[in-house]
Amino acid sequence: MFFYVVSIIQALSFLIGLFFFQRIRNPWVRWLILYIGNLCLIELGLEFIPTMEAQATITRVYYCLAFPVEYALYVCMFREKLAVFRWSRYWLMGTAGVLAVFGLYNGLLNQQHNSAATDVFSMMAVMALIISLLYFRSLLQSKEIIYLLQEPLFWIATALLFFYAGSIIATGFYHAFYKKSSHFAVSLFKVNLVLGIFRSVLYSIAFLVAARKLPYG
């Protein structure tokens, strides 16, 4: 039941973004809205797959391929803000390439392992967390006057920071925890769902703020 609440709030976040889509000038924020919409449709479609085994397989394949796309969006979204770091361009493109290869391998050749999608997610979580931390570091080093609450990327970076910091433990180590204590693993995963709600709320705020910004704000 709780999972459906997370899905509903995620869908509401997409609808908010879609409603203000024409007023948002940042192209990568627009792509993030479309990506969230795609997630909503896929998760809805998975409910109609008749067998649990087929559903699990398709879910693993989809997320192994989707997570690298999501990370590539973050790379494109934050690369200009991280340009203050000389090595950022090469690091960002390199990590995006490594994750894409890892996602393809797990999605197409490593489906016998139940943790295939989790492994891809864990790698993406670490790298997305680093991006958010570098973004906040760039803010501290900036000499410009920045009104953070009016910056869409501030809200998105905050969402990444909290969501992936918690998800690295709750999701990344889910299978290991489950072997020790299924009750503890499930309880911890619920924390991850709460973080998912928090992320969707912050994304919604980012969309609202982006709709009020000038081009590429």
Side-chain angles (χ1 to χ4, degrees), residues 33-121:
I33 294 169
L34 296 177
Y35 175 80
I36 294 172
N38 177 266
L39 282 181
C40 293
L41 288 175
I42 293 297
E43 289 175 358
L44 179 62
L46 289 172
E47 295 297 320
F48 296 97
I49 297 177
T51 64
M52 292 295 294
E53 183 178 354
Q55 185 183 84
T57 300
I58 294 174
T59 299
R60 285 196 298 269
V61 172
Y62 172 74
Y63 282 111
C64 283
L65 302 179
F67 289 143
V69 173
E70 181 178 345
Y71 179 72
L73 281 176
Y74 299 143
V75 167
C76 294
M77 195 178 297
F78 287 94
R79 62 181 178 180
E80 290 186 11
K81 294 295 183 180
L82 301 185
V84 294
F85 306 111
R86 293 182 179 179
W87 45 266
S88 64
R89 177 182 177 184
Y90 303 102
W91 182 84
L92 290 172
M93 297 303 295
T95 54
V98 169
L99 186 62
V101 172
F102 189 61
L104 285 171
Y105 167 74
N106 280 279
L108 303 178
L109 302 175
N110 196 35
Q111 279 304 304
Q112 68 272 21
H113 293 290
N114 293 331
S115 63
T118 302
D119 293 342
V120 179
F121 174 85

Side-chain angles (χ1 to χ4, degrees), residues 99-169:
L99 186 62
V101 172
F102 189 61
L104 285 171
Y105 167 74
N106 280 279
L108 303 178
L109 302 175
N110 196 35
Q111 279 304 304
Q112 68 272 21
H113 293 290
N114 293 331
S115 63
T118 302
D119 293 342
V120 179
F121 174 85
S122 298
M123 179 179 287
M124 181 192 70
V126 172
M127 294 189 293
L129 184 59
I130 292 174
I131 284 180
S132 68
L133 291 172
L134 288 176
Y135 169 77
F136 287 116
R137 182 182 175 186
S138 71
L139 292 179
L140 293 174
Q141 294 181 349
S142 177
K143 297 181 180 180
E144 299 180 26
I145 298 177
I146 303 173
Y147 299 96
L148 291 180
L149 299 184
Q150 299 178 22
E151 289 290 329
L153 292 187
F154 168 77
W155 293 103
I156 294 175
T158 303
L160 297 183
L161 178 63
F162 283 95
F163 177 74
Y164 288 114
S167 296
I168 289 173
I169 298 175

